[in-house]
Amino acid sequence: EFLCRQKGLDLRWEIHRESILVHSDASRLKEVISNLLQNAVKYTDRGSVCVRTGKFSNKAIMIEVEDSGMGISENHLASIFEPFMQVHKTSTENSRGGIGLGLSIVKKHLEQIGGTINVQSELGKGSIFRIVLPRYYENPKSRARWLHWWTWLRVNTATQRTMPSQPEARQQKAA
């Protein structure tokens, strides 16, 4: 949130009540979301960053990190999760730092906890990184425990907005 304020970006949280409880490896999941948020802020010079959760199915949730940043060209989308891949590193003048491991680590962590990630992006308009996670994932080798999104977000952010559940949102739109 500090970096968003520093850059003049709007940070929005759209957390749906029905999607905020998941049994998974909390440390891996926190690292995944932290990395996606840092990238969104790093590659967005004006506009907004939004974190959104929702029910994907009865057994899975969806988490999206959307930004209005630089975007990623279509020819780079297929390789964005490969190690050492940096789409916007064309010169030291344009470099935003890093060595291109963040998204490959994100993908590896998600695979380890039964999740997936994909990206939609348009150059000059921004990106949406979408994670799908099983509501319950138990790996005997992981430090799996209940991660309650509401609590985690409350602790890790100063301000947040909780959105109504999807049925409540539909009712509000109809009214």
Side-chain angles (χ1 to χ4, degrees):
E1 187 168 343
F2 171 76
L3 291 175
C4 283
R5 276 195 315 253
Q6 194 175 32
K7 289 182 80 172
L9 302 175
D10 180 34
L11 176 61
R12 295 189 328 260
W13 299 93
E14 298 177 6
I15 311 300
H16 293 276
R17 290 181 196 112
E18 65 197 31
S19 65
I20 57 177
L21 191 60
V22 62
H23 184 218
S24 192
D25 186 322
S27 61
R28 280 194 177 108
L29 196 48
K30 286 178 186 179
E31 189 173 341
V32 163
I33 293 172
S34 175
N35 184 287
L36 293 176
L37 275 170
Q38 288 173 29
N39 279 356
V41 172
K42 182 192 298 188
Y43 294 106
T44 303
D45 292 327
R46 61 182 166 269
S48 64
V49 173
C50 179
V51 179
R52 180 180 306 114
T53 67
K55 182 178 174 182
F56 186 77
S57 70
N58 286 337
K59 295 184 177 188
I61 67 162
M62 174 270 311
I63 303 167
E64 290 180 340
V65 176
E66 180 176 3
D67 66 63
S68 60
M70 297 178 169
I72 304 163
S73 67
E74 193 172 331
N75 60 333
H76 286 105
L77 287 175
S79 59
I80 195 72
F81 297 105
E82 293 178 12
F84 305 107
M85 178 60 174
Q86 284 191 296
V87 172
H88 296 290
K89 191 169 184 171
T90 55
S91 70
T92 53
E93 184 177 298
N94 293 329
S95 176
R96 302 266 172 148
I99 58 172
L101 288 175
L103 290 176
S104 65
I105 292 170
V106 162
K107 184 175 181 186
K108 188 68 168 171
H109 279 345
L110 287 168
E111 288 170 351
Q112 291 170 339
I113 58 175
T116 60
I117 187 168
N118 64 53
V119 61
Q120 294 176 302
S121 189
E122 190 174 338
L123 201 55
K125 294 193 176 185
S127 303
I128 302 172
F129 285 84
R130 181 174 295 116
I131 298 167
V132 176
L133 288 170
R135 283 189 180 275
Y136 182 84
Y137 180 77
E138 182 71 55
N139 180 344
K141 294 181 182 179
S142 76
R143 298 171 304 277
R145 58 188 176 265
W146 284 101
L147 177 64
H148 195 275
W149 282 99
W150 178 256
T151 304
W152 183 79
L153 289 172
R154 188 171 275 266
V155 168
N156 290 290
T157 62
T159 60
Q160 63 195 30
R161 297 179 193 124
T162 303
M163 299 300 291
S165 65
Q166 291 170 349
E168 289 173 5
R170 280 188 229 112
Q171 287 173 354
Q172 287 176 358
K173 285 181 185 176

